[in-house]
């Protein structure tokens, strides 16, 4: 329990329906834990409902999260620490999501290798609202086959049945396992593992990360057969394939976990960032470098550093140095615009540019057109507000 508490504190996170954050929960558990422990041992503990939070997605839709109370996150984390070492070794080697020692990069590298080996048609399957449609009875049945402990099964069932609070009203759940709890990813893998095993029995090459599964075949006809089989198997689990996002297609025309594949002149298969992920990146950078808000240059760069370095760490597999250089130049240009916006008046611009080493005629030209920020950021300032200048400020770079 102490190890679980350390993990919950490290993950931080918001309060649940009880309104208690991590610090307040720690104080509460000092006197409440003996009672909670007794209820857990006797099988009478009942989790509180989860708090509904809607997270906007880039396509305009929303992802629904269910935030358990900190106490329930603690109990779920303790359960996870016991169950994962027992259950995880039974999963397919083609499953990469939410597993110790595995991550999205493993799935992307596997997909790249399959395409390199000549399996260039992909059966790209996305499940529609997977976490909201998990059938409780089917999930408990599959879990019971791996964990023959009635007390544990009863507690997991209690978490599945805990309602969700939306607008102050508790809504009962008859299906679904809310995203936001530590236990949900493990339960998702328990449910989907039998589909993985079916693909293995048929000898298919595939990679799955949570509810995103890509199967690689040599022909479109084979892909259509695999898609039909998957629809039947998911239907047996009461799950539904998202027709709009799923397809049998050329592997070079699809994205997987934010990545896309492309073929170089020598026939090699390379990784790139998908167009959707690139546009999301640019939208976020535009937001971080917007010209309003009254933030200092250092504050803007701090925000950029946190986001860009995290994004770079995820997409480090991408083999597109030219795209990185273009994005770096674009980010620096936005920062030059921000400098001009901060200086505002022509006299201030002239003085600051001279201080930074600009030639008088360059400083005078920029100051004379002080409101043409985007034009000035390209035509004059790249020789003043240089790459070295931004490096000294700590601005992140992709290259």
């Amino acid at each position: 329990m102490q190890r679980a508490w350390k993990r919950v504190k490290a993950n931080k996170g918001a309060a649940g329906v009880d309104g208690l954050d991590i610090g307040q929960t720690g104080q509460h558990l000092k006197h409440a834990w003996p009672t909670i422990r007794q209820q857990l041992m006797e099988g009478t503990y009942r989790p509180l409902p989860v708090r509904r939070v809607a997270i906007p997605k880039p396509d305009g839709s929303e992802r629904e999260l269910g935030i358990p109370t900190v106490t329930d996150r603690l109990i779920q984390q303790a359960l996870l620490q016991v169950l994962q070492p027992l259950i995880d070794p039974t999963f397919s080697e083609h499953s990469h999501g939410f597993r110790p020692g595995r991550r999205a990069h493993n799935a992307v590298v596997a997909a790249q290798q399959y395409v390199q080996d000549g399996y260039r048609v992909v059966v790209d399957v996305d499940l529609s609202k997977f976490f909201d449609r998990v059938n409780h009875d089917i999930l408990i049945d599959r879990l019971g086959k791996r964990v023959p402990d009635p007390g544990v099964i009863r507690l997991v069932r209690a978490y599945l049945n805990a309602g969700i609070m939306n607008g102050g009203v508790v809504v009962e759940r008859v299906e679904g396992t809310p995203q936001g709890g530590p236990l949900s990813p493990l339960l998702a893998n328990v449910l989907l593992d039998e589909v993985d095993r079916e693909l293995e029995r048929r000898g298919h090459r595939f990679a799955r990360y949570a509810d995103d599964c890509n199967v690689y075949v040599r022909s479109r006809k084979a892909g259509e057969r695999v898609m039909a089989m998957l629809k039947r198997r998911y239907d047996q689990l009461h799950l539904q394939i998202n027709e709009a996002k799923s397809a049998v297609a050329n592997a070079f025309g699809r994205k997987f976990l934010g990545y896309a594949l492309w073929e170089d002149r020598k026939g090699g298969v390379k990784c790139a960032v998908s167009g959707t992920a690139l546009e999301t990146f640019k939208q976020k950078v535009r937001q971080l470098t917007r010209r309003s808000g009254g933030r200092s240059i250092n504050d803007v760069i701090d925000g950029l550093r946190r986001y860009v370095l995290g994004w770079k760490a995820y997409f480090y597999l991408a083999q597109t140095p030219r795209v990185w250089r273009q994005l770096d130049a674009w980010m620096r240009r936005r920062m030059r615009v921000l400098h001009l916006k901060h200086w505002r008046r022509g006299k201030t611009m002239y003085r600051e540019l001279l201080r930074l080493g600009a030639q008088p005629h360059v400083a005078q030209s920029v100051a004379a057109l002080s409101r043409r920020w985007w034009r000035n950021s390209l035509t004059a300032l790249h020789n003043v507000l240089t790459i070295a200048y931004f490096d000294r400020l700590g601005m992140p770079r992709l290259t």
Side-chain angles (χ1 to χ4, degrees):
M1 294 305 302
Q2 290 178 350
R3 185 157 57 96
W5 178 244
K6 289 181 180 179
R7 175 59 64 87
V8 169
K9 287 199 298 183
N11 289 342
K12 301 179 181 179
V17 297
D18 60 358
L20 300 180
D21 61 20
I22 292 176
Q24 294 167 327
T25 299
Q27 294 299 318
H28 168 71
L29 290 178
K30 287 181 179 180
H31 59 82
W33 180 248
T35 301
I36 296 174
R37 182 185 185 280
Q38 183 177 357
Q39 291 173 345
L40 287 167
M41 300 303 292
E42 294 175 352
T44 60
Y45 179 78
R46 293 295 175 266
L48 289 176
V50 298
R51 181 169 64 86
R52 181 185 182 276
V53 177
I55 305 298
K57 297 171 68 173
D59 61 4
S61 61
E62 291 184 338
R63 174 181 287 110
E64 181 180 300
L65 298 183
I67 308 299
T69 65
V70 178
T71 297
D72 283 324
R73 296 208 294 272
L74 168 66
I75 297 169
Q76 286 194 38
Q77 178 64 35
L79 260 179
L80 179 67
Q81 290 170 179
V82 174
L83 294 180
Q84 194 161 51
L86 298 174
I87 298 176
D88 189 81
T90 69
F91 291 150
S92 166
E93 66 178 60
H94 301 281
S95 169
H96 302 280
F98 310 113
R99 298 184 61 189
R102 294 171 180 258
R103 50 183 178 165
H105 296 133
N106 301 117
V108 173
V109 169
Q112 182 184 12
Q113 187 60 54
Y114 295 145
V115 177
Q116 183 68 66
D117 291 342
Y119 296 84
R120 302 203 166 186
V121 173
V122 62
V123 184
D124 185 354
V125 174
D126 180 86
L127 294 178
S128 178
K129 297 183 177 180
F130 167 71
F131 284 94
D132 296 334
R133 290 180 171 158
V134 170
N135 183 281
H136 292 177
D137 292 334
I138 295 175
L139 174 57
I140 289 297
D141 175 71
R142 304 308 190 264
L143 183 63
K145 293 177 180 178
R146 286 178 161 92
V147 185
D149 186 312
V152 169
I153 299 300
R154 186 166 51 243
L155 182 56
V156 173
R157 170 76 83 167
Y159 275 112
L160 292 175
N161 291 340
I164 184 166
M165 182 169 287
N166 185 13
V169 178
V170 177
V171 180
E172 293 185 1
R173 296 183 70 98
V174 295
E175 61 180 9
T177 172
Q179 292 177 266
L183 206 54
S184 292
L186 178 66
L187 297 179
N189 280 331
V190 167
L191 185 63
L192 295 174
D193 185 64
E194 65 182 69
V195 181
D196 296 342
R197 295 304 183 182
E198 178 71 18
L199 289 168
E200 285 182 346
R201 282 193 294 271
R202 293 170 180 258
H204 288 301
R205 292 155 179 79
F206 69 98
R208 181 176 66 81
Y209 190 91
D211 56 335
D212 288 328
C213 182
N214 276 12
V215 186
Y216 295 87
V217 295
R218 290 189 183 273
S219 69
R220 183 174 291 272
K221 188 173 181 179
E224 296 291 351
R225 289 197 298 268
V226 172
M227 179 65 83
M229 180 272 292
L230 288 174
K231 287 181 179 178
R232 291 195 303 270
R233 296 296 285 121
Y234 285 130
D235 186 62
Q236 292 170 5
L237 296 175
H238 294 197
L239 299 173
Q240 182 178 343
I241 289 178
N242 187 329
E243 299 287 350
K245 295 183 178 180
S246 303
V248 177
N250 189 309
F252 293 123
R254 305 293 293 183
K255 61 184 177 68
F256 183 44
L257 302 177
Y259 280 89
L261 299 177
W262 60 283
E263 187 176 18
D264 64 18
R265 294 179 180 178
K266 298 180 180 180
V269 177
K270 307 292 186 181
C271 285
V273 182
S274 71
T276 301
L278 280 176
E279 184 55 36
T280 301
F281 172 81
K282 296 185 79 169
Q283 287 177 358
K284 181 64 176 181
V285 171
R286 288 188 188 102
Q287 177 188 350
L288 291 170
T289 58
R290 64 190 184 277
R291 301 174 198 174
S292 60
R295 297 157 300 145
S296 70
I297 296 296
N298 287 334
D299 288 341
V300 173
I301 287 178
D302 285 343
L304 272 179
R305 187 184 303 112
R306 286 191 295 270
Y307 176 70
V308 171
L309 294 183
W311 192 87
K312 177 182 178 180
Y314 181 80
F315 285 107
Y316 80 88
L317 291 177
Q319 297 159 292
T320 51
R322 182 174 60 87
V323 174
W324 288 163
R325 289 193 294 270
Q326 291 172 347
L327 288 175
D328 277 340
W330 175 73
M331 285 192 291
R332 285 192 296 270
R333 190 174 177 188
R334 289 195 64 85
M335 290 302 299
R336 293 185 187 110
V337 169
L338 206 58
H339 275 73
L340 292 176
K341 175 70 173 179
H342 278 200
W343 292 332
R344 289 183 178 273
R345 295 185 303 172
K347 291 183 178 179
T348 305
M349 285 184 189
Y350 181 78
R351 183 178 65 250
E352 292 295 331
L353 289 172
L354 288 180
R355 184 179 64 82
L356 291 170
Q359 295 294 324
H361 72 278
V362 172
Q364 186 175 12
S365 174
V366 172
L369 300 171
S370 60
R371 293 287 179 175
R372 303 184 68 175
W373 298 311
W374 189 248
R375 176 183 178 277
N376 281 331
S377 68
L378 179 65
T379 57
L381 291 192
H382 69 281
N383 288 325
V384 180
L385 302 181
T386 61
I387 296 175
Y389 171 81
F390 286 114
D391 284 345
R392 289 194 296 271
L393 292 180
M395 184 173 170
R397 280 205 268 168
L398 294 171
T399 52

